[in-house]
Coordinates of all heavy atoms in Angstrom, one line a residue:
L213 N 37.0 -15.6 -34.3 CA 36.7 -14.6 -33.2 C 37.8 -13.6 -33.1 O 39.0 -13.9 -33.4 CB 36.5 -15.3 -31.9 CG 35.2 -16.1 -31.6 CD1 35.4 -17.0 -30.4 CD2 34.0 -15.2 -31.5
P214 N 37.5 -12.4 -32.7 CA 38.5 -11.4 -32.5 C 39.5 -11.9 -31.5 O 39.1 -12.6 -30.5 CB 37.8 -10.1 -32.0 CG 36.4 -10.3 -32.5 CD 36.1 -11.8 -32.5
I215 N 40.8 -11.5 -31.6 CA 41.8 -12.0 -30.8 C 41.5 -11.6 -29.3 O 41.7 -12.5 -28.4 CB 43.2 -11.5 -31.2 CG1 43.6 -12.0 -32.6 CG2 44.3 -11.9 -30.2 CD1 44.8 -11.4 -33.1
S216 N 41.0 -10.4 -29.1 CA 40.7 -10.0 -27.7 C 39.6 -10.8 -27.1 O 39.4 -10.8 -25.9 CB 40.3 -8.5 -27.7 OG 39.2 -8.3 -28.5
E217 N 38.8 -11.5 -27.9 CA 37.7 -12.2 -27.3 C 38.0 -13.7 -27.4 O 37.0 -14.5 -27.2 CB 36.4 -11.9 -28.2 CG 36.0 -10.5 -28.3 CD 35.5 -10.0 -26.9 OE1 35.1 -10.8 -26.1 OE2 35.4 -8.8 -26.7
D218 N 39.2 -14.1 -27.6 CA 39.5 -15.5 -27.9 C 39.4 -16.3 -26.6 O 40.3 -16.3 -25.7 CB 41.0 -15.6 -28.4 CG 41.3 -17.0 -28.9 OD1 40.4 -17.9 -28.8 OD2 42.5 -17.2 -29.3
N219 N 38.4 -17.1 -26.5 CA 38.3 -18.1 -25.4 C 37.3 -19.2 -25.8 O 36.4 -18.9 -26.6 CB 37.9 -17.5 -24.0 CG 36.5 -16.9 -24.0 OD1 35.6 -17.6 -24.1 ND2 36.4 -15.6 -23.9
R220 N 37.5 -20.3 -25.2 CA 36.7 -21.5 -25.6 C 35.2 -21.3 -25.3 O 34.3 -21.8 -26.0 CB 37.3 -22.7 -25.0 CG 38.6 -23.2 -25.6 CD 39.2 -24.3 -24.7 NE 38.4 -25.5 -24.5 CZ 38.4 -26.5 -25.3 NH1 39.2 -26.5 -26.4 NH2 37.6 -27.6 -25.1
F221 N 34.9 -20.7 -24.2 CA 33.5 -20.6 -23.8 C 32.7 -19.8 -24.7 O 31.5 -20.2 -25.0 CB 33.4 -20.0 -22.4 CG 32.0 -20.0 -21.8 CD1 31.4 -21.2 -21.3 CD2 31.2 -18.9 -21.8 CE1 30.2 -21.2 -20.9 CE2 29.9 -18.9 -21.3 CZ 29.4 -20.1 -20.9
R222 N 33.3 -18.8 -25.3 CA 32.5 -18.0 -26.3 C 32.2 -18.8 -27.5 O 31.2 -18.7 -28.1 CB 33.3 -16.7 -26.6 CG 33.4 -15.7 -25.5 CD 34.3 -14.5 -25.9 NE 33.6 -13.7 -26.9 CZ 32.6 -12.8 -26.6 NH1 32.3 -12.7 -25.3 NH2 32.1 -12.1 -27.5
A223 N 33.2 -19.7 -27.9 CA 33.0 -20.6 -29.0 C 31.9 -21.6 -28.7 O 31.0 -21.9 -29.5 CB 34.3 -21.3 -29.3
L224 N 31.9 -22.1 -27.5 CA 30.9 -23.0 -27.1 C 29.5 -22.4 -27.1 O 28.5 -23.0 -27.5 CB 31.1 -23.6 -25.7 CG 32.4 -24.5 -25.6 CD1 32.7 -24.8 -24.1 CD2 32.1 -25.8 -26.3
C225 N 29.4 -21.1 -26.7 CA 28.1 -20.4 -26.7 C 27.6 -20.2 -28.1 O 26.4 -20.3 -28.4 CB 28.3 -19.0 -26.0 SG 28.5 -19.1 -24.2
L226 N 28.5 -19.9 -29.0 CA 28.1 -19.8 -30.4 C 27.6 -21.1 -31.0 O 26.6 -21.2 -31.7 CB 29.3 -19.3 -31.3 CG 29.5 -17.8 -31.3 CD1 30.8 -17.4 -32.0 CD2 28.3 -17.1 -32.0
L227 N 28.3 -22.2 -30.7 CA 27.9 -23.5 -31.1 C 26.6 -23.9 -30.5 O 25.8 -24.6 -31.1 CB 29.0 -24.6 -30.8 CG 30.3 -24.4 -31.5 CD1 31.3 -25.4 -30.9 CD2 30.1 -24.6 -33.0
D228 N 26.3 -23.3 -29.3 CA 25.0 -23.6 -28.6 C 23.9 -22.6 -29.0 O 22.9 -22.6 -28.4 CB 25.3 -23.6 -27.1 CG 24.1 -24.3 -26.4 OD1 23.3 -25.0 -27.0 OD2 24.1 -24.1 -25.2
N229 N 24.2 -21.7 -30.0 CA 23.3 -20.7 -30.4 C 23.0 -19.7 -29.3 O 21.9 -19.1 -29.3 CB 22.0 -21.3 -31.0 CG 22.2 -21.6 -32.4 OD1 23.0 -21.0 -33.1 ND2 21.4 -22.6 -32.9
D230 N 23.8 -19.6 -28.3 CA 23.6 -18.6 -27.2 C 24.3 -17.3 -27.6 O 25.3 -16.9 -27.1 CB 24.2 -19.1 -25.9 CG 23.6 -18.4 -24.7 OD1 23.0 -17.4 -24.9 OD2 23.9 -18.8 -23.6
S231 N 23.7 -16.6 -28.5 CA 24.3 -15.4 -29.1 C 24.4 -14.2 -28.1 O 25.3 -13.4 -28.3 CB 23.5 -14.9 -30.3 OG 22.2 -14.6 -29.9
Q232 N 23.6 -14.2 -27.0 CA 23.7 -13.1 -26.1 C 25.0 -13.1 -25.3 O 25.4 -12.1 -24.8 CB 22.6 -13.2 -25.1 CG 21.2 -12.9 -25.7 CD 20.1 -12.9 -24.6 OE1 20.4 -13.2 -23.4 NE2 18.9 -12.5 -25.0
A233 N 25.7 -14.3 -25.3 CA 27.0 -14.4 -24.6 C 28.1 -13.9 -25.5 O 29.3 -13.9 -25.1 CB 27.2 -15.8 -24.1

Side-chain angles (χ1 to χ4, degrees):
L213 286 170
I215 296 176
S216 60
E217 303 288 345
D218 186 6
N219 65 67
R220 286 169 61 91
F221 185 75
R222 295 177 67 83
L224 291 170
C225 288
L226 276 172
L227 293 174
D228 197 14
N229 274 335
D230 195 353
S231 58
Q232 290 186 356

